[in-house]
Amino acid sequence: MKHMTRKATRHISQNEGLIFEKSSPGKAAYKLPPLDVPEVDVAALLGKAERKDLGNMPEVSEIEIIRHFTRLSTWNYAIDLGMYPLGSCTMKYNPRVNEAVARVEGLANGHPYQPEKISQGALRIMQTLSDCLLEITGMDAITLQPAAGAQGELTGLLMVRAYHQSKGNPRKKVLIPDSAHGTNPATAATVGYAVENLKSNSRGMVEISALEAQMNEDVAALMLTNPNTLGVFEEEIHKIAALMHAKGGLLYMDGANMNALVGKVRPGDFGVDVMHLNLHKTFSTPHGGGGPGSGPVAVKQILEPFLPTPIVVKHSDDTLGFEYNRPQSVGRVRAFYGNFGMFVRALAYIFANGPDGLRQTTEDAVLNANYIRKGLEGVYDLPYSTPSMHEVVFSDKIQARKGVKTMDMAKRLIDYGFHPYTTAFPLIVSGALMIEPTESEPKEELDLFIEAMKSIAEEVEEDPEFVLGAPYHTRISRLDETMAARKPVLRWKSEPKS
Amino acid sequence: MKHMTRKATRHISQNEGLIFEKSSPGKAAYKLPPLDVPEVDVAALLGKAERKDLGNMPEVSEIEIIRHFTRLSTWNYAIDLGMYPLGSCTMKYNPRVNEAVARVEGLANGHPYQPEKISQGALRIMQTLSDCLLEITGMDAITLQPAAGAQGELTGLLMVRAYHQSKGNPRKKVLIPDSAHGTNPATAATVGYAVENLKSNSRGMVEISALEAQMNEDVAALMLTNPNTLGVFEEEIHKIAALMHAKGGLLYMDGANMNALVGKVRPGDFGVDVMHLNLHKTFSTPHGGGGPGSGPVAVKQILEPFLPTPIVVKHSDDTLGFEYNRPQSVGRVRAFYGNFGMFVRALAYIFANGPDGLRQTTEDAVLNANYIRKGLEGVYDLPYSTPSMHEVVFSDKIQARKGVKTMDMAKRLIDYGFHPYTTAFPLIVSGALMIEPTESEPKEELDLFIEAMKSIAEEVEEDPEFVLGAPYHTRISRLDETMAARKPVLRWKSEPKS
Amino acid sequence: MRYLPKSPADREAMLQTIGAGSINDLFAPIPAEYRLTRDLNIPRQMAESEIVDWFRQRSRENGEGYTSFLGAGAYLHYRPVVIDALISRGEFLTSYTPYQAEFAQGTLQAIFEFQSMICELTGMEVANASMYDGSTGAAEAVMMAARLTGHSSVLIARSLHPEYREVMATYATHQGLPMSTVPFTATGRIDLKGLEQSIGSDTACVLIQSPNFFGVIEDVDAIAEIAHKHGALLVVSIAEAVSLGIVEPPRSADIIAMEAQSFGVPLGFGGPYCGVIATREKFVRQMPGRLAGQTTDSNGKRGFVLTLATREQHIRREKATSNICTNQALVALMVNIFMTIYGKVGLKELAKQNLAKTEYAAQQFGKHAKVLFSGSPRFNEFVVETSEDPSAINGRLLGHKITGGLTLKKFFPEVGNAALWCCTEMTTRSAIDTAVGVVADSERSVRSMNDSSVEEQVR
Amino acid sequence: MRYLPKSPADREAMLQTIGAGSINDLFAPIPAEYRLTRDLNIPRQMAESEIVDWFRQRSRENGEGYTSFLGAGAYLHYRPVVIDALISRGEFLTSYTPYQAEFAQGTLQAIFEFQSMICELTGMEVANASMYDGSTGAAEAVMMAARLTGHSSVLIARSLHPEYREVMATYATHQGLPMSTVPFTATGRIDLKGLEQSIGSDTACVLIQSPNFFGVIEDVDAIAEIAHKHGALLVVSIAEAVSLGIVEPPRSADIIAMEAQSFGVPLGFGGPYCGVIATREKFVRQMPGRLAGQTTDSNGKRGFVLTLATREQHIRREKATSNICTNQALVALMVNIFMTIYGKVGLKELAKQNLAKTEYAAQQFGKHAKVLFSGSPRFNEFVVETSEDPSAINGRLLGHKITGGLTLKKFFPEVGNAALWCCTEMTTRSAIDTAVGVVADSERSVRSMNDSSVEEQVR
Ligand SMILES: Cc1ncc(COP(=O)(O)O)c(C=O)c1O
Ligand SMILES: Cc1ncc(COP(=O)(O)O)c(C=O)c1O
């Protein structure tokens, strides 16, 4: 190591092959109970539909499985190990009580089609969570069905379309700022809308005059992330909303960055018509290596008729139930009711925080981002000097002069024991370093991060080549992504028998 | 690294200070529910017994606690990570279902004094486990009370003493082979017996003639480990038992090595009068970084009256209960009924194996030890060529010529990604390498171990100095144990305020 | 505030460093008129013990302790404890999508193994890292087929899970993909003649489910032949993954969209589950969702990365193959561990037990009521037609702490008084016998009512 | 055989390498006549689901769902879920005693922190890594005192947990340590005069418990003064660790033997629990059990090792300070995490809630029955004397799914119809009110019976 870090050291780490490489006929990790009904003649029952062989499925014992996945796990970084400042991802602490309550028997084993009479617990959870989320967002109605943020967007835009359709014209376009996350345009396309780019102004915000120019009766909605992906709050949000509404358009808010707002301001209050939340960001459900998520969509009254079916309703006898008969609904976006297990976790998180805790959480998230900004200002280029909310976006402009890009420094940051920041976007910043610490970081960890980032900047000055070779301290060095894409090997294959 | 290993690599590992170093007033990881009874005036209730200050107890948040202990954990080696061939410790797989059933509500939350009527579940577990262990050992009666092997020894010897006492003379001595584990003599002393050493013969076994010579009416018992700590089965066990019994003595068996015998031979059948089992070895309850254990003691009928109180009995109405009224009992060895949580786990292990599984387990344990022996014979000195059962003991004789001792090679083995073997005993082997793989190791892992051990032997030949400096691949290098003992620092202290 | 790692002094010091007078300075960009100046009206901060109690109470109101005969896309199989023990490790639970491969090899290798096993089981050449669930997976597979063929209409079997059909409809509406439905015959299988008639040169794909919603195994090869003859692709949805242990996978399909919930994922009142799409290698660049691929590091060591990202929204934006971003990674890991535990032999044995239980149950029900489609091969579900409305029978079964089969009227009015029953390895013979007993009683009382009304008429 | 990682082919290959014809060759050293040639007569191999079901069934037979007022050395406190989440990590759960320090720094640092926190809480200078439990810890502390003083008799408070007393007796019997008992007075505290009379120059130590078995806090300083005056040590047993949050620790004690179960360890029908011994630095070399100490590595980095092993059996054999080897490490880790979660402020608040609940309960019981020793300060237990045999009252409480206080007759015949009740933060006011109601009913009916028998006598 060129520079020393107080954050991490190297230690011995177990190797582990693919599970298939451990397989051997006759090993087993399962045991079924004896059958209490007669055995059956499979061939007689299934005929040619009978499967004879399961190919190269592994045969291993339980201890090998424990070791396999335990060893694999030790190769991962995680929130539980330290700061995970991926911008836009809100990698906050995932409380353990969430996991405990999600596993309570009646919730973990509830069947989606069990009679309403014995589903009151689950319904009550959905109802309570909905109430809380509506209060938090300041919206009027909600669906919990979408499986993640992107599906929330889809659901929201479907409702936008259904709304316009109900007025006689679905319209043609959706406006999306150039700073937006990739799912926004991808979703608009899925819903059959043309995407029109909206250029950000020099402060990183929507340029009101541009919006004015682009907004017309062909535009169904503006998809806005607020705070946007620069971590900047759209100060003229009220004007934006007014402009959209004036031309009959709707304001969609991508709620990925709600962690900057909860308890401090409500999108429903500043003119948003429809928005999604990411329970796996703002509401602490675990990321799990990429999912599952949950993307509830909250709407204003005007959009309520279009919510996906079913919705939770209260019957006259005060019991809860599902209502399917909603003629204007956009329909289902997935089977059953959504990622219920995530509802349980998100609600547990809300309970654990209460109004005071949620507000403090937001304040700490914003405090942390500004502390990092202060610590790294000058060391890294700050393309937009507009105030930061919950995240701060630097660029690699200074370091790029030495040939070192954001991704190279990201790899080097790994050597310092930190997960890197987001490098992939916003596209309006060339070579972005998008840093979102969340509220879960103690000052100590932030100081270590700032120290590491400064040290890397120094390394870039002193020896850029060295930084380009990072990471050095991981069990494998930099992986060849180009080769992976050029000659994709997407599955294990048994060696051809010789 | 001089030689390469296929077993492990180096990877980044998080640093972490002491929890006290993270403490700051006002942070908290707890929250109590609101009090549903009136607040109290503590001073009025407790007077001068009131505590005002909790000293330097930490104040930290939940995420910091999760990270603290997660980070710490990653510095440990564990069975879940790989082979842990500590001789005499039987580091076998700790099945996860054991942990699951031990946490079932009524078992985890059962109070030891709850009425028998609502304790039938726990009693049935104790009864069933007792039945299984008696069948496995071939003994007549059992107590589950002792908390670990050493306390089992204590309980067993107390019963030996009570037995002799009941015959009018407690006797004076206990014979213990020089190969025995340290707890054997320590326990004998605790029970007030003088310890007399019994020298092993050149085959590593009890020398019958020596035993004959030393055995007399002063000897209360012989404490024998079988297979002994060399992993050698005392072939003349029947003669040993006969010799003891002829002079009115008893044969105590330290059952630490039962993993070599279960399902293949029963101590009760070969003349043992009293023995303890280690549920945390043979019966898979987890070691947990040093405990808890459980050391049931099984006895022949003649010793039954002396079992600690209470014992589990069946009432006339077929319900189970505790019997306290046992006038000849040695008394209690601990409060309540023993480490009940370990009973649950051990019984789950027995259920998961059944008679066929337990036998196969023993066979695999012995197979593994012999495979290692074969693989390392010639590379390391084998002080006793007697057949090995579940473990094999080499010595560092060959390597010591180059100045490299068993502990040095143990440290080097860490660099190869393995936990070392036992170095501390048996004392009859100078520089012992006591290797017990258990049945839980696949052939692949054994091959890696043999490869590593051979590689270390080569390193000793090529560059002994290098081996003396090991470990090199851990987050800290060799620790100064001498300094730790010379100037003990046994607790954290706050820096004196300046 | 137990999750927040800051003391008041820390906050003070940080504000000072930043140069802010108070925390509210940092919220200045929010127009004052919108700032919330009150507490949110949500429940007060609760202790952990209160939270646990609250959810335990909800659990008791949620069918705790009932034996269930419900399947229909959500199956109760035994979940080995190893699964939760492993997925609960913070390194899996609290990591993100493995964008930084060198720091996420655990997740990446696990995904690679998942993809490989899905391929082994489905007989396909490539599989992705997961989709939201079986229903959205099926919809994405159909959109993929439309892109691959350039055709623009879709045929859907009526025996597809009705909620999958609804989702398909939602997704297809704005894709310019007209959908039509192919009925099933009295065998419970797709109407091949009807299929021949409906299919056309503009058909992008035929979407079927096998075992289908009624538990009946379709003649996939025959369907594939028809589809392929017309230049359409065959998309097969598999909702009951355990069937793959004993039922030949639809190898003649072009895309398989699978719901893997059966493989170790809790019922969880309907989610999170684990969709996955598998297909032929040549179609991979039109596949939605993440893919892990093998590569080497700069020293030639094997490693894994996310790959072919140019299909995805974060690179391709409105031209991506799908808008999916977050998927079901941790659930896919459960599935992965489940497949590893049962493996080559266990999955077969498991499936066989499901078959045996179901056969026994169908036989027993068949003695008293009519088991529909019983001439066709089936896996672990079957349809029982009763004289009485099955909802009424189910109401009585609740008294035995049994949840009876799913009443089909809502989804399939044409089948009348019928319910879809499911047995798995978890269903005990005694539960089956109890349920059969209640159905038998129902039939008897309807018969005796009929007899007496006949008598009445006679009188 | 699901735990065994070998295929038949592996076994065959290994036997061949070894040069053995069959596995039984390796068992040849066992005399043939003893070899078992039959299956063990134990239950057949069970599936995991069967095992889980079996233990769930036992759980249902074991007081599941009862509210308990039992304490008496085993206390029900809330266990934050973080504890099990962390101790379940394989790196803690499946590692051995940290003999190889470089590969066990996690366990070692945790032990060091445990020792440190125990010192903070008890006011002692050193603490060990754990003992089996409170009872054996107390016995070991007494033997330690005997070694330290060279004296050979022991005085034990009768208000010590009676099972601790029994254990003490078992351990002391063969140590040549005659024990005698010091009674308690009507205040529930030790009889100081009696103590003065019994203590002598050969007394190694006085062993008391505080809060004692009746929940009463002893006047430790007064007892210490008497002990020290006679050259004896004072050993204080603490069975309810939570008391340390609000009760001044026995700083004048020489050795504290503590049961830390209250700190996050499940009741578990009596074990495993966590004993620990704390004492003054000067006594450390006579201390039993493992100790972790701070040191540095060859580069000067801080690290931790097991130290002062020359006290222990594996080095000193029959001259060791104790025969203890395996201790309660994982349970100590639970305790450690619990202490960390509650910390400096939380432990106090927790203890205060215990105090408040207990005070409320004692007040309520006091309205209907007699609360003994109520003039003395107490923590979370109190003794209620009733007119009726408490076992009968408890029988009735079971009908309310309540387990009443511990009937004292068995241990303390002298207190008559009395029971030891315990309240913790888990005890709800409504449970207290229900229990009080049942006791009140009992008192009323005894009174009316008495009244009627008086009437009868009068008649
Ligand atoms: C700003 C923004 N919008 C949308 C998404 C997509 O959300 P999801 O991954 O839950 O589908 C993300 C995810 O990273 C995001 O950062
Ligand atoms: C042979 C032998 N005897 C006795 C013991 C002591 O057992 P425990 O540690 O359970 O007290 C051990 C422990 O390692 C041992 O190996």
Side-chain angles (χ1 to χ4, degrees), chain A residues 75-227:
Chain A
W75 306 345
N76 277 1
Y77 189 76
I79 301 171
D80 281 8
L81 287 170
M83 180 170 167
Y84 211 124
L86 272 177
S88 211
C89 299
T90 314
M91 296 297 282
K92 61 169 64 185
Y93 173 50
N94 305 142
R96 284 309 183 280
V97 69
N98 296 3
E99 299 305 310
V101 295
R103 284 170 173 80
V104 171
E105 189 183 331
L107 305 180
N109 290 339
H111 191 286
Y113 290 149
Q114 69 194 18
E116 271 181 11
K117 195 174 149 182
I118 59 169
S119 299
Q120 291 300 306
L123 286 160
R124 173 97 175 270
I125 288 165
M126 293 176 71
Q127 176 82 64
T128 310
L129 177 62
S130 297
D131 290 348
C132 290
L133 296 179
L134 288 175
E135 165 68 6
I136 288 166
T137 54
M139 306 295 280
D140 299 325
I142 195 166
T143 175
L144 303 177
Q145 203 173 96
Q151 214 194 16
E153 297 171 24
L154 179 84
T155 308
L157 284 194
L158 284 169
M159 293 170 75
V160 165
R161 191 172 186 116
Y163 164 83
H164 287 302
Q165 185 80 65
S166 77
K167 305 248 175 249
N169 174 9
R171 303 197 172 192
K172 300 207 180 83
K173 300 189 289 195
V174 169
L175 297 180
I176 302 183
D178 48 7
S179 59
H181 188 262
T183 50
N184 292 186
T187 302
T190 308
V191 183
Y193 279 123
V195 173
E196 192 168 297
N197 229 20
L198 194 61
K199 270 188 101 154
S200 306
N201 66 18
S202 63
R203 302 190 63 220
M205 301 191 204
V206 168
E207 179 61 45
I208 300 294
S209 59
L211 177 62
E212 236 169 343
Q214 287 177 257
M215 182 60 204
N216 58 42
E217 260 84 32
D218 274 352
V219 174
L222 164 65
M223 281 187 101
L224 194 68
T225 309
N226 192 23

Side-chain angles (χ1 to χ4, degrees), chain A residues 87-89 147-151 153 180-184 225 229 254 256-257 276 278 280-281 293-294 425 434, chain C residues 96 132 290 313 323-327:
Chain A
S88 211
C89 299
Q151 214 194 16
E153 297 171 24
H181 188 262
T183 50
N184 292 186
T225 309
T229 62
D254 180 332
N257 292 341
H276 76 262
N278 299 60
H280 49 300
K281 296 181 178 177
S294 178
F425 81 111
M434 188 190 206
Chain C
Y96 198 70
Y132 299 139
R290 295 188 191 123
Q313 46 72 29
N323 72 333
I324 193 169
C325 178
T326 290
N327 62 12

Side-chain angles (χ1 to χ4, degrees), chain D residues 385-442:
Chain D
E385 191 185 8
T386 46
S387 309
E388 196 184 0
D389 181 339
S391 311
I393 300 174
N394 282 348
R396 251 165 277 144
L397 279 167
L398 283 184
H400 296 265
K401 290 221 137 195
I402 286 178
T403 333
L406 178 73
T407 303
L408 288 177
K409 220 168 262 178
K410 181 180 142 201
F411 294 129
F412 297 94
E414 68 266 38
V415 296
N417 278 340
L420 178 65
W421 294 73
C422 174
C423 294
T424 72
E425 79 283 4
M426 304 285 276
T427 319
T428 62
R429 179 180 195 143
S430 85
I432 295 170
D433 292 345
T434 305
V436 168
V438 171
V439 167
D441 287 348
S442 156

Side-chain angles (χ1 to χ4, degrees), chain A residues 21 36 49 51-52 55 68 73 76 108 110 135 190 264 289 332 336 351 364 411 475 477 480 492, chain C residues 11 36 38 41 46 89 95 102 107 113 116 121 163 170 175 246 248 268-269 295 298 344 348 357:
Chain A
E21 295 160 356
D36 62 356
R51 179 176 206 159
K52 297 274 163 45
H68 182 69
S73 77
N76 277 1
E135 165 68 6
T190 308
K264 301 294 286 185
R332 282 189 166 278
F336 312 123
F351 284 170
D364 280 4
K411 296 296 182 200
R475 40 179 303 113
S477 61
D480 188 341
W492 175 86
Chain C
R11 293 192 179 98
L36 207 61
R38 60 166 177 89
N41 182 18
M46 284 161 66
R89 284 184 61 82
S95 61
E102 298 83 1
T107 294
E113 292 174 348
S116 303
L121 282 179
E163 294 196 1
T170 308
Q175 296 275 314
I246 200 113
E248 184 60 10
F269 207 65
T295 187
S298 47
K344 187 178 171 79
K348 184 167 213 157
K357 300 267 188 175

